[in-house]
Coordinates of all heavy atoms in Angstrom, one line a residue:
N1 N -26.6 47.8 60.2 CA -27.0 46.9 61.3 C -25.8 46.4 61.9 O -24.9 45.8 61.3 CB -27.9 45.9 60.7 CG -29.1 46.4 60.0 OD1 -29.0 46.9 58.9 ND2 -30.2 46.4 60.7
I2 N -25.7 46.4 63.2 CA -24.6 46.0 64.0 C -25.1 44.9 65.0 O -26.1 45.1 65.6 CB -23.9 47.2 64.8 CG1 -23.4 48.2 63.8 CG2 -22.8 46.7 65.7 CD1 -23.0 49.5 64.4
S3 N -24.3 43.8 65.1 CA -24.7 42.8 66.0 C -23.4 41.9 66.3 O -22.4 42.1 65.8 CB -25.8 41.9 65.4 OG -26.3 41.0 66.3
E4 N -23.7 40.9 67.2 CA -22.6 40.0 67.5 C -22.3 39.1 66.2 O -23.2 38.8 65.4 CB -23.0 39.1 68.6 CG -23.1 39.8 69.9 CD -23.6 38.9 71.1 OE1 -23.8 37.7 70.8 OE2 -23.8 39.4 72.2
V5 N -21.1 38.7 66.1 CA -20.7 37.8 65.0 C -21.5 36.5 65.1 O -21.7 36.0 66.2 CB -19.2 37.4 65.1 CG1 -18.8 36.3 64.1 CG2 -18.3 38.7 64.8
G6 N -22.1 36.1 64.0 CA -23.0 34.9 64.0 C -24.4 35.2 64.4 O -25.2 34.2 64.5
S7 N -24.8 36.4 64.4 CA -26.2 36.8 64.8 C -27.2 36.2 63.8 O -27.0 36.4 62.6 CB -26.3 38.3 64.8 OG -27.6 38.7 64.8
A8 N -28.2 35.5 64.2 CA -29.2 35.0 63.4 C -30.0 36.2 62.7 O -30.3 36.1 61.5 CB -30.2 34.2 64.2
R9 N -30.2 37.3 63.4 CA -30.9 38.4 62.8 C -30.1 39.0 61.6 O -30.7 39.3 60.6 CB -31.1 39.5 63.9 CG -31.9 40.7 63.4 CD -32.1 41.6 64.5 NE -32.9 42.7 64.0 CZ -33.2 43.8 64.8 NH1 -32.9 43.8 66.0 NH2 -33.9 44.7 64.3
L10 N -28.8 39.1 61.8 CA -28.0 39.7 60.6 C -28.0 38.6 59.5 O -28.0 39.0 58.3 CB -26.6 40.0 61.1 CG -26.3 41.3 61.8 CD1 -24.9 41.6 61.9 CD2 -27.0 42.5 61.0
H11 N -27.9 37.4 59.8 CA -27.9 36.3 58.8 C -29.2 36.4 58.0 O -29.1 36.3 56.8 CB -27.7 35.0 59.4 CG -27.7 33.8 58.5 ND1 -26.7 33.6 57.6 CD2 -28.7 32.9 58.2 CE1 -27.1 32.6 56.8 NE2 -28.3 32.1 57.2
E12 N -30.3 36.5 58.7 CA -31.6 36.6 58.0 C -31.7 37.8 57.1 O -32.2 37.8 56.0 CB -32.7 36.6 59.0 CG -32.9 35.2 59.7 CD -33.8 35.3 60.9 OE1 -34.4 36.4 61.1 OE2 -33.9 34.3 61.6
L13 N -31.2 38.9 57.6 CA -31.2 40.2 56.9 C -30.3 40.1 55.6 O -30.7 40.5 54.5 CB -30.8 41.3 57.8 CG -31.1 42.8 57.3 CD1 -32.5 42.9 56.9 CD2 -30.7 43.7 58.4
Q14 N -29.1 39.5 55.8 CA -28.2 39.3 54.7 C -28.8 38.4 53.6 O -28.8 38.7 52.4 CB -26.9 38.7 55.2 CG -25.8 38.6 54.1 CD -24.5 38.1 54.6 OE1 -24.4 37.6 55.7 NE2 -23.5 38.3 53.9
A15 N -29.5 37.3 54.1 CA -30.2 36.4 53.1 C -31.3 37.2 52.3 O -31.5 37.0 51.1 CB -30.8 35.3 53.8
L16 N -32.0 38.1 53.0 CA -33.0 38.9 52.4 C -32.4 39.8 51.3 O -32.9 39.9 50.2 CB -33.8 39.7 53.4 CG -34.8 40.8 52.8 CD1 -35.9 40.1 52.1 CD2 -35.3 41.7 53.9
Y17 N -31.3 40.4 51.7 CA -30.6 41.3 50.7 C -30.2 40.5 49.5 O -30.3 41.0 48.4 CB -29.4 42.0 51.3 CG -29.8 43.0 52.4 CD1 -28.8 43.5 53.2 CD2 -31.0 43.5 52.6 CE1 -29.0 44.4 54.2 CE2 -31.3 44.4 53.6 CZ -30.3 44.9 54.4 OH -30.6 45.8 55.4
E18 N -29.7 39.3 49.7 CA -29.2 38.5 48.6 C -30.4 38.1 47.7 O -30.3 38.2 46.5 CB -28.5 37.3 49.1 CG -27.1 37.6 49.7 CD -26.5 36.5 50.5 OE1 -27.0 35.4 50.5 OE2 -25.4 36.8 51.1
R19 N -31.5 37.7 48.3 CA -32.7 37.4 47.5 C -33.2 38.6 46.7 O -33.7 38.4 45.6 CB -33.9 36.9 48.4 CG -33.7 35.5 49.0 CD -34.9 34.9 49.6 NE -35.6 35.8 50.6 CZ -35.3 35.8 51.9 NH1 -34.3 35.0 52.3 NH2 -35.9 36.6 52.7
R20 N -33.1 39.8 47.2 CA -33.6 41.0 46.6 C -32.6 41.6 45.7 O -32.9 42.6 45.0 CB -34.1 42.0 47.6 CG -35.1 41.5 48.6 CD -36.5 41.5 48.1 NE -37.3 40.9 49.1 CZ -38.6 40.9 49.1 NH1 -39.2 41.4 48.0 NH2 -39.3 40.4 50.1
G21 N -31.4 41.1 45.7 CA -30.3 41.7 44.9 C -29.9 43.1 45.4 O -29.4 43.9 44.6
I22 N -29.9 43.3 46.7 CA -29.5 44.5 47.3 C -28.0 44.5 47.7 O -27.5 43.5 48.3 CB -30.3 44.8 48.6 CG1 -31.8 44.9 48.3 CG2 -29.8 46.0 49.4 CD1 -32.8 45.0 49.4
S23 N -27.3 45.5 47.2 CA -25.9 45.6 47.5 C -25.6 45.7 49.0 O -26.2 46.4 49.7 CB -25.3 46.8 46.8 OG -24.0 47.0 47.1
H24 N -24.7 44.8 49.5 CA -24.4 44.8 50.9 C -23.0 44.2 51.1 O -22.5 43.5 50.2 CB -25.4 44.1 51.7 CG -25.5 42.6 51.4 ND1 -26.1 42.1 50.3 CD2 -25.0 41.6 52.1 CE1 -25.9 40.8 50.3 NE2 -25.3 40.4 51.3
A25 N -22.5 44.3 52.3 CA -21.2 43.7 52.7 C -21.3 43.4 54.2 O -21.7 44.3 55.0 CB -20.0 44.6 52.4
L26 N -20.9 42.3 54.6 CA -20.7 41.9 56.0 C -19.3 42.3 56.5 O -18.3 41.8 55.9 CB -21.0 40.5 56.3 CG -21.0 40.0 57.7 CD1 -22.2 40.7 58.5 CD2 -21.2 38.5 57.8
L27 N -19.2 43.3 57.3 CA -17.9 43.9 57.7 C -17.6 43.4 59.2 O -18.4 43.5 60.1 CB -17.9 45.4 57.7 CG -18.3 46.1 56.4 CD1 -18.3 47.6 56.5 CD2 -17.3 45.7 55.3
S28 N -16.3 43.1 59.4 CA -15.8 42.7 60.7 C -15.8 44.0 61.5 O -15.9 45.1 61.0 CB -14.4 42.2 60.6 OG -13.5 43.1 60.1
A29 N -15.6 43.9 62.8 CA -15.4 45.1 63.7 C -14.3 46.0 63.2 O -14.4 47.2 63.1 CB -15.2 44.7 65.1
E30 N -13.2 45.3 62.8 CA -12.0 46.1 62.3 C -12.3 46.8 61.1 O -12.0 48.0 60.9 CB -10.8 45.1 62.2 CG -10.3 44.5 63.4 CD -11.2 43.3 63.9 OE1 -12.0 42.7 63.1 OE2 -11.1 43.0 65.1
A31 N -13.0 46.1 60.1 CA -13.3 46.8 58.8 C -14.3 47.9 59.0 O -14.2 49.0 58.4 CB -13.8 45.8 57.8
T32 N -15.3 47.7 59.9 CA -16.3 48.7 60.2 C -15.6 49.9 60.8 O -15.8 51.1 60.4 CB -17.4 48.2 61.1 OG1 -18.0 47.1 60.5 CG2 -18.4 49.3 61.4
N33 N -14.7 49.7 61.8 CA -14.0 50.8 62.5 C -13.1 51.6 61.5 O -13.0 52.8 61.7 CB -13.2 50.3 63.7 CG -14.2 49.8 64.8 OD1 -15.3 50.3 64.9 ND2 -13.7 49.0 65.6
A34 N -12.5 50.9 60.5 CA -11.7 51.6 59.6 C -12.5 52.5 58.7 O -12.1 53.6 58.4 CB -10.9 50.5 58.7
K35 N -13.7 52.0 58.3 CA -14.6 52.8 57.4 C -15.4 53.8 58.2 O -15.6 54.9 57.7 CB -15.5 51.8 56.7 CG -16.3 52.5 55.6 CD -17.0 51.4 54.8 CE -17.7 51.9 53.5 NZ -16.8 52.3 52.5
F36 N -15.8 53.5 59.4 CA -16.7 54.3 60.2 C -16.1 54.4 61.7 O -16.7 53.8 62.6 CB -18.1 53.8 60.3 CG -18.7 53.6 58.9 CD1 -18.8 52.3 58.4 CD2 -19.2 54.7 58.2 CE1 -19.4 52.1 57.1 CE2 -19.7 54.5 56.9 CZ -19.8 53.2 56.4
P37 N -15.1 55.1 61.9 CA -14.4 55.1 63.2 C -15.4 55.6 64.4 O -15.1 55.3 65.5 CB -13.2 56.0 63.1 CG -13.4 56.8 61.8 CD -14.4 56.0 61.0
Q38 N -16.4 56.3 64.0 CA -17.3 56.8 65.1 C -18.1 55.7 65.8 O -18.6 55.9 66.9 CB -18.3 57.9 64.5 CG -19.3 57.3 63.5 CD -18.9 57.3 62.1 OE1 -17.7 57.2 61.8 NE2 -19.8 57.3 61.1
F39 N -18.2 54.5 65.2 CA -18.9 53.5 65.8 C -18.1 52.7 66.9 O -18.7 52.3 67.8 CB -19.4 52.5 64.8 CG -20.5 53.0 63.9 CD1 -20.4 53.0 62.5 CD2 -21.7 53.6 64.5 CE1 -21.4 53.6 61.7 CE2 -22.7 54.1 63.7 CZ -22.5 54.1 62.3
G40 N -16.8 52.6 66.7 CA -16.0 52.0 67.7 C -16.4 50.6 68.1 O -16.6 50.2 69.3
L41 N -16.7 49.7 67.1 CA -17.1 48.4 67.3 C -16.1 47.6 68.1 O -14.9 47.7 67.9 CB -17.5 47.6 66.0 CG -18.9 47.7 65.6 CD1 -19.4 49.1 65.3 CD2 -19.1 46.8 64.3
Q42 N -16.5 46.7 69.0 CA -15.7 45.9 69.8 C -15.5 44.5 69.0 O -16.3 44.1 68.2 CB -16.3 45.6 71.1 CG -16.6 46.8 72.0 CD -15.3 47.5 72.4 OE1 -14.4 46.9 72.8 NE2 -15.3 48.8 72.2
T43 N -14.3 43.9 69.3 CA -14.1 42.6 68.8 C -15.2 41.7 69.1 O -15.8 41.7 70.2 CB -12.8 42.0 69.4 OG1 -11.7 42.9 69.0 CG2 -12.5 40.6 68.8
G44 N -15.7 40.8 68.1 CA -16.8 39.9 68.4 C -18.1 40.5 67.8 O -19.1 39.8 67.9
T45 N -18.0 41.7 67.3 CA -19.2 42.3 66.6 C -18.9 42.5 65.1 O -17.8 42.4 64.7 CB -19.6 43.6 67.2 OG1 -18.5 44.5 67.1 CG2 -20.0 43.5 68.7
C46 N -20.0 42.7 64.4 CA -19.8 42.9 62.9 C -21.0 43.8 62.5 O -21.9 44.1 63.3 CB -19.8 41.6 62.1 SG -21.4 40.6 62.3
A47 N -20.9 44.3 61.3 CA -21.9 45.2 60.7 C -22.3 44.7 59.3 O -21.5 44.3 58.5 CB -21.4 46.6 60.7
L48 N -23.6 44.8 59.0 CA -24.1 44.5 57.7 C -24.3 45.9 57.1 O -25.2 46.7 57.5 CB -25.4 43.8 57.8 CG -25.9 43.3 56.4 CD1 -24.9 42.4 55.7 CD2 -27.2 42.5 56.7
Y49 N -23.4 46.2 56.1 CA -23.3 47.5 55.5 C -24.1 47.5 54.2 O -23.9 46.6 53.4 CB -21.9 47.9 55.3 CG -21.7 49.1 54.5 CD1 -22.1 50.4 54.9 CD2 -21.0 49.1 53.3 CE1 -21.9 51.5 54.1 CE2 -20.7 50.2 52.5 CZ -21.2 51.4 53.0 OH -21.0 52.5 52.2
Q50 N -25.0 48.5 54.0 CA -25.7 48.7 52.8 C -25.3 50.1 52.2 O -25.7 51.1 52.8 CB -27.2 48.7 53.0 CG -27.8 47.6 53.8 CD -27.8 47.9 55.3 OE1 -28.0 49.0 55.7 NE2 -27.6 46.9 56.1
P51 N -24.5 50.1 51.2 CA -24.0 51.4 50.7 C -25.0 52.3 50.1 O -24.8 53.5 50.0 CB -22.9 51.0 49.6 CG -23.3 49.6 49.2 CD -24.0 49.0 50.4
D52 N -26.1 51.7 49.6 CA -27.1 52.6 48.9 C -28.3 53.0 49.8 O -29.1 53.8 49.3 CB -27.7 51.8 47.7 CG -26.6 51.4 46.7 OD1 -25.6 52.2 46.6 OD2 -26.7 50.3 46.1
F53 N -28.4 52.6 51.0 CA -29.5 52.9 51.8 C -29.3 52.5 53.3 O -28.3 51.9 53.6 CB -30.8 52.3 51.3 CG -30.9 50.8 51.4 CD1 -31.5 50.2 52.6 CD2 -30.4 50.0 50.5 CE1 -31.5 48.9 52.7 CE2 -30.4 48.6 50.6 CZ -31.0 48.0 51.7
G54 N -30.2 52.9 54.1 CA -30.2 52.5 55.5 C -31.6 52.0 55.8 O -32.5 52.1 55.1
I55 N -31.7 51.4 57.0 CA -32.9 50.8 57.4 C -33.4 51.5 58.7 O -32.6 51.8 59.6 CB -32.8 49.3 57.7 CG1 -32.5 48.6 56.4 CG2 -34.0 48.7 58.4 CD1 -32.4 47.1 56.5
V56 N -34.7 51.8 58.7 CA -35.3 52.3 60.0 C -36.3 51.3 60.5 O -37.2 50.9 59.7 CB -36.0 53.6 59.7 CG1 -36.7 54.1 60.9 CG2 -35.0 54.7 59.1
F57 N -36.1 50.8 61.7 CA -37.0 49.8 62.2 C -38.2 50.6 62.8 O -38.0 51.5 63.6 CB -36.3 49.0 63.3 CG -35.3 48.1 62.7 CD1 -34.0 48.3 62.8 CD2 -35.7 46.9 62.1 CE1 -33.0 47.5 62.3 CE2 -34.8 46.0 61.6 CZ -33.5 46.3 61.6
A58 N -39.4 50.2 62.4 CA -40.6 51.0 62.7 C -40.8 51.2 64.2 O -41.1 52.3 64.6 CB -41.8 50.3 62.1
S59 N -40.6 50.2 65.0 CA -40.9 50.3 66.4 C -40.0 51.3 67.1 O -40.4 52.1 67.9 CB -40.9 49.0 67.1 OG -39.6 48.4 67.0
K60 N -38.7 51.3 66.7 CA -37.7 52.2 67.2 C -38.0 53.7 66.7 O -37.9 54.6 67.5 CB -36.3 51.8 66.9 CG -35.9 50.6 67.6 CD -34.4 50.2 67.3 CE -34.0 49.0 68.0 NZ -32.6 48.7 67.8
A61 N -38.4 53.8 65.5 CA -38.7 55.1 64.9 C -39.9 55.7 65.6 O -39.9 56.9 65.9 CB -38.9 55.0 63.4
I62 N -40.9 54.9 65.8 CA -42.2 55.4 66.4 C -41.9 55.8 67.8 O -42.3 56.9 68.3 CB -43.3 54.3 66.3 CG1 -43.6 54.0 64.9 CG2 -44.5 54.8 67.1 CD1 -44.6 54.8 64.2
S63 N -41.1 55.0 68.5 CA -40.8 55.4 69.9 C -40.0 56.7 70.0 O -40.3 57.5 70.9 CB -40.0 54.2 70.6 OG -40.7 53.1 70.7
A64 N -39.1 56.8 69.1 CA -38.3 58.1 69.0 C -39.2 59.3 68.7 O -39.0 60.3 69.3 CB -37.2 58.0 68.0
A65 N -40.1 59.1 67.8 CA -41.0 60.2 67.4 C -41.9 60.6 68.6 O -42.1 61.8 68.9 CB -41.9 59.8 66.3
W66 N -42.4 59.6 69.4 CA -43.2 59.9 70.6 C -42.4 60.6 71.6 O -42.8 61.6 72.3 CB -43.8 58.6 71.2 CG -45.0 58.1 70.5 CD1 -45.0 56.9 69.7 CD2 -46.3 58.6 70.6 NE1 -46.3 56.8 69.3 CE2 -47.1 57.8 69.8 CE3 -46.9 59.7 71.2 CZ2 -48.5 58.0 69.6 CZ3 -48.2 59.9 71.0 CH2 -49.0 59.1 70.2
R67 N -41.1 60.2 71.8 CA -40.2 60.9 72.8 C -40.0 62.3 72.4 O -40.0 63.2 73.2 CB -38.9 60.1 73.0 CG -39.0 58.9 73.8 CD -37.7 58.3 74.2 NE -36.8 58.1 73.1 CZ -36.7 57.0 72.3 NH1 -37.6 56.0 72.5 NH2 -35.9 57.0 71.3
Y68 N -39.7 62.5 71.1 CA -39.4 63.8 70.6 C -40.7 64.7 70.7 O -40.6 65.9 71.2 CB -39.0 63.8 69.1 CG -38.7 65.1 68.5 CD1 -37.7 65.9 69.0 CD2 -39.5 65.6 67.5 CE1 -37.4 67.1 68.5 CE2 -39.2 66.9 66.9 CZ -38.1 67.6 67.4 OH -37.8 68.9 66.9
A69 N -41.8 64.2 70.4 CA -43.1 65.0 70.5 C -43.3 65.4 72.0 O -43.6 66.5 72.3 CB -44.3 64.2 70.0
S70 N -43.0 64.4 72.9 CA -43.2 64.7 74.3 C -42.2 65.8 74.8 O -42.6 66.7 75.6 CB -42.9 63.4 75.1 OG -43.0 63.7 76.5
S71 N -41.0 65.8 74.2 CA -40.0 66.8 74.6 C -40.4 68.2 74.2 O -39.9 69.2 74.7 CB -38.6 66.4 74.1 OG -38.5 66.7 72.7
L72 N -41.2 68.2 73.1 CA -41.7 69.5 72.6 C -43.0 70.0 73.4 O -43.5 71.1 73.0 CB -42.0 69.4 71.1 CG -40.8 69.2 70.2 CD1 -41.3 68.9 68.8 CD2 -39.8 70.3 70.3
G73 N -43.5 69.2 74.3 CA -44.7 69.5 75.0 C -46.0 69.1 74.4 O -47.0 69.5 74.8
V74 N -45.8 68.2 73.4 CA -47.1 67.7 72.8 C -47.8 66.8 73.7 O -47.2 65.9 74.4 CB -46.7 66.9 71.5 CG1 -47.9 66.2 70.9 CG2 -46.0 67.8 70.5
E75 N -49.1 66.9 73.8 CA -49.9 66.1 74.6 C -50.4 65.0 73.7 O -51.2 65.2 72.8 CB -51.1 66.9 75.2 CG -52.0 66.0 76.1 CD -53.2 66.9 76.6 OE1 -53.0 68.1 76.8 OE2 -54.2 66.2 76.9
A76 N -49.9 63.8 73.9 CA -50.3 62.6 73.0 C -51.4 61.8 73.7 O -51.4 61.6 74.9 CB -49.0 61.8 72.8
H77 N -52.3 61.3 72.9 CA -53.3 60.4 73.3 C -53.3 59.1 72.5 O -53.2 59.1 71.3 CB -54.7 61.1 73.1 CG -54.9 62.4 73.8 ND1 -55.4 62.4 75.1 CD2 -54.5 63.6 73.5 CE1 -55.4 63.7 75.5 NE2 -54.9 64.4 74.6
S78 N -53.3 58.0 73.2 CA -53.4 56.7 72.6 C -54.8 56.1 72.9 O -55.5 56.6 73.7 CB -52.3 55.8 73.0 OG -52.4 55.6 74.4
D79 N -55.1 55.1 72.1 CA -56.5 54.5 72.2 C -57.5 55.6 72.1 O -58.4 55.7 73.0 CB -56.6 53.7 73.6 CG -55.7 52.5 73.7 OD1 -55.5 51.9 72.6 OD2 -55.2 52.3 74.8
F80 N -57.4 56.4 71.1 CA -58.3 57.5 70.9 C -58.8 57.5 69.5 O -58.1 57.8 68.5 CB -57.4 58.8 71.1 CG -58.2 60.1 71.2 CD1 -58.6 60.6 72.4 CD2 -58.5 60.8 70.0 CE1 -59.2 61.8 72.5 CE2 -59.2 62.0 70.1 CZ -59.6 62.5 71.3
R81 N -60.0 57.1 69.3 CA -60.7 57.1 68.0 C -61.4 58.4 67.8 O -62.3 58.8 68.5 CB -61.6 55.9 67.9 CG -62.2 55.8 66.6 CD -63.2 54.5 66.5 NE -63.8 54.4 65.2 CZ -63.2 53.7 64.3 NH1 -62.1 53.0 64.5 NH2 -63.8 53.6 63.1
V82 N -60.9 59.1 66.7 CA -61.5 60.4 66.4 C -62.8 60.3 65.7 O -63.0 59.5 64.8 CB -60.5 61.2 65.5 CG1 -61.1 62.5 65.0 CG2 -59.2 61.4 66.2
E83 N -63.8 61.0 66.3 CA -65.1 61.0 65.8 C -65.4 62.2 64.9 O -66.1 62.2 63.9 CB -66.1 60.9 66.9 CG -67.6 60.8 66.5 CD -67.9 59.5 66.0 OE1 -67.3 58.5 66.3 OE2 -68.9 59.4 65.2
Q84 N -64.8 63.4 65.4 CA -65.1 64.6 64.8 C -64.0 65.6 65.0 O -63.4 65.7 66.1 CB -66.4 65.2 65.3 CG -66.9 66.4 64.7 CD -68.3 66.8 65.4 OE1 -68.9 66.0 66.0 NE2 -68.7 68.1 65.2
L85 N -63.7 66.5 64.0 CA -62.8 67.6 64.1 C -63.6 68.9 64.0 O -64.4 69.0 63.1 CB -61.7 67.6 63.1 CG -60.8 66.5 63.0 CD1 -59.9 66.5 61.8 CD2 -59.9 66.4 64.3
N86 N -63.4 69.8 65.0 CA -64.1 71.1 64.9 C -63.1 72.2 64.8 O -62.3 72.4 65.7 CB -65.0 71.3 66.2 CG -66.1 70.2 66.3 OD1 -66.7 69.9 65.4 ND2 -66.2 69.7 67.5
Q87 N -63.2 72.9 63.7 CA -62.2 74.1 63.5 C -62.9 75.3 64.1 O -64.0 75.7 63.7 CB -61.9 74.3 62.0 CG -60.8 75.3 61.9 CD -60.2 75.3 60.5 OE1 -60.6 74.5 59.6 NE2 -59.3 76.1 60.2
H88 N -62.2 76.0 65.0 CA -62.7 77.2 65.6 C -62.1 78.5 65.0 O -62.7 79.5 65.0 CB -62.4 77.2 67.1 CG -62.9 75.9 67.8 ND1 -64.2 75.7 68.0 CD2 -62.3 74.8 68.3 CE1 -64.4 74.5 68.6 NE2 -63.2 74.0 68.8
S89 N -60.9 78.4 64.5 CA -60.3 79.5 63.8 C -59.2 78.8 62.9 O -59.0 77.6 62.9 CB -59.7 80.5 64.7 OG -58.5 79.9 65.4
S90 N -58.4 79.7 62.2 CA -57.3 79.1 61.4 C -56.2 78.5 62.2 O -55.4 77.7 61.7 CB -56.7 80.2 60.5 OG -56.1 81.2 61.3
Q91 N -56.2 78.8 63.5 CA -55.1 78.2 64.4 C -55.7 77.4 65.5 O -54.9 77.1 66.4 CB -54.3 79.4 64.9 CG -53.5 80.1 63.8 CD -52.7 81.2 64.3 OE1 -52.7 81.5 65.5 NE2 -51.9 81.8 63.4
S92 N -56.9 77.1 65.5 CA -57.5 76.4 66.7 C -58.5 75.4 66.2 O -59.4 75.7 65.4 CB -58.2 77.4 67.6 OG -58.9 76.8 68.6
L93 N -58.4 74.2 66.8 CA -59.5 73.2 66.6 C -59.6 72.3 67.8 O -58.8 72.3 68.7 CB -59.1 72.3 65.3 CG -57.9 71.5 65.3 CD1 -58.1 70.1 66.0 CD2 -57.5 71.2 63.9
S94 N -60.7 71.6 67.8 CA -60.9 70.6 68.9 C -61.1 69.3 68.2 O -61.7 69.2 67.1 CB -62.0 71.0 69.8 OG -63.2 71.1 69.1
V95 N -60.8 68.2 68.9 CA -60.9 66.9 68.5 C -61.9 66.2 69.4 O -61.7 66.2 70.6 CB -59.6 66.1 68.4 CG1 -59.7 64.7 67.9 CG2 -58.6 66.9 67.6
V96 N -62.9 65.6 68.9 CA -63.9 64.9 69.7 C -63.7 63.4 69.4 O -63.7 62.9 68.3 CB -65.3 65.2 69.3 CG1 -66.3 64.5 70.1 CG2 -65.5 66.8 69.4
A97 N -63.5 62.7 70.5 CA -63.3 61.2 70.5 C -64.6 60.5 70.4 O -65.7 61.0 70.8 CB -62.5 60.7 71.7
A98 N -64.6 59.2 69.9 CA -65.8 58.4 69.9 C -66.4 58.2 71.3 O -67.6 58.1 71.4 CB -65.4 57.1 69.3
D99 N -65.5 58.3 72.3 CA -66.1 58.1 73.7 C -66.5 59.4 74.3 O -66.9 59.5 75.5 CB -65.1 57.4 74.6 CG -63.8 58.2 74.8 OD1 -63.7 59.4 74.3 OD2 -62.8 57.6 75.4
G100 N -66.5 60.5 73.5 CA -67.0 61.8 74.0 C -65.9 62.7 74.5 O -66.2 63.9 74.8
R101 N -64.7 62.2 74.7 CA -63.6 63.1 75.2 C -63.4 64.2 74.2 O -63.4 63.9 73.0 CB -62.3 62.3 75.4 CG -62.3 61.5 76.7 CD -61.0 60.7 76.8 NE -60.9 59.7 75.8 CZ -59.7 59.1 75.5 NH1 -58.6 59.4 76.1 NH2 -59.7 58.2 74.5
I102 N -63.0 65.4 74.6 CA -62.7 66.5 73.7 C -61.3 67.0 74.1 O -61.0 67.3 75.2 CB -63.7 67.7 73.9 CG1 -65.1 67.2 73.5 CG2 -63.3 68.8 73.0 CD1 -66.2 68.2 73.8
V103 N -60.5 67.2 73.0 CA -59.1 67.7 73.2 C -59.0 68.9 72.4 O -59.4 69.0 71.2 CB -58.1 66.6 72.7 CG1 -56.7 67.1 72.8 CG2 -58.2 65.3 73.5
H104 N -58.5 70.0 73.0 CA -58.3 71.2 72.3 C -56.8 71.4 71.9 O -55.9 71.0 72.6 CB -58.7 72.4 73.2 CG -60.1 72.3 73.6 ND1 -61.1 72.8 72.8 CD2 -60.8 71.8 74.7 CE1 -62.3 72.6 73.4 NE2 -62.1 72.0 74.5

């Protein structure tokens, strides 16, 4: 996690890690750049480093998944309550929505 020095969000996350006993270190821009030069942090920023894991924020991950699906030509439907699945063959099915829409 990277943010401005003094960020409330990083402070809250660091407090959570401390409560849960999760290994972490708050790194200055200089320390982060020495360890991870690909980030190129600017003075005034810092990073909360977790050596044992990373964090994926759900909203960003979901948005990325939707963009990726779209780039593959997937037709996505939201506000779509599935009522029925109809299998036509081993490679074909249709989806019937509660409002009667049918997607093949």
Side-chain angles (χ1 to χ4, degrees):
N1 300 77
I2 299 169
S3 191
E4 294 178 359
V5 171
S7 162
R9 183 175 181 184
L10 279 189
H11 176 74
E12 291 168 7
L13 196 52
Q14 186 175 17
L16 173 66
Y17 292 167
E18 289 169 4
R19 285 193 308 273
R20 307 278 179 172
I22 296 171
S23 177
H24 67 281
L26 186 61
L27 304 177
S28 66
E30 295 77 20
T32 302
N33 291 336
K35 190 169 188 71
F36 306 102
Q38 69 271 26
F39 291 124
L41 267 61
Q42 301 295 314
T43 301
T45 59
C46 61
L48 188 57
Y49 171 63
Q50 311 90 32
D52 298 327
F53 66 94
I55 291 179
V56 176
F57 291 102
S59 59
K60 290 183 180 181
I62 300 273
S63 293
W66 280 108
R67 284 192 309 274
Y68 181 63
S70 179
S71 77
L72 295 174
V74 171
E75 183 180 332
H77 299 267
S78 59
D79 297 323
F80 190 96
R81 185 178 178 92
V82 175
E83 184 73 26
Q84 183 178 345
L85 296 175
N86 298 318
Q87 187 166 0
H88 304 290
S89 70
S90 63
Q91 297 181 353
S92 173
L93 64 84
S94 60
V95 181
V96 181
D99 64 5
R101 287 181 288 165
I102 299 174
V103 177
H104 299 274

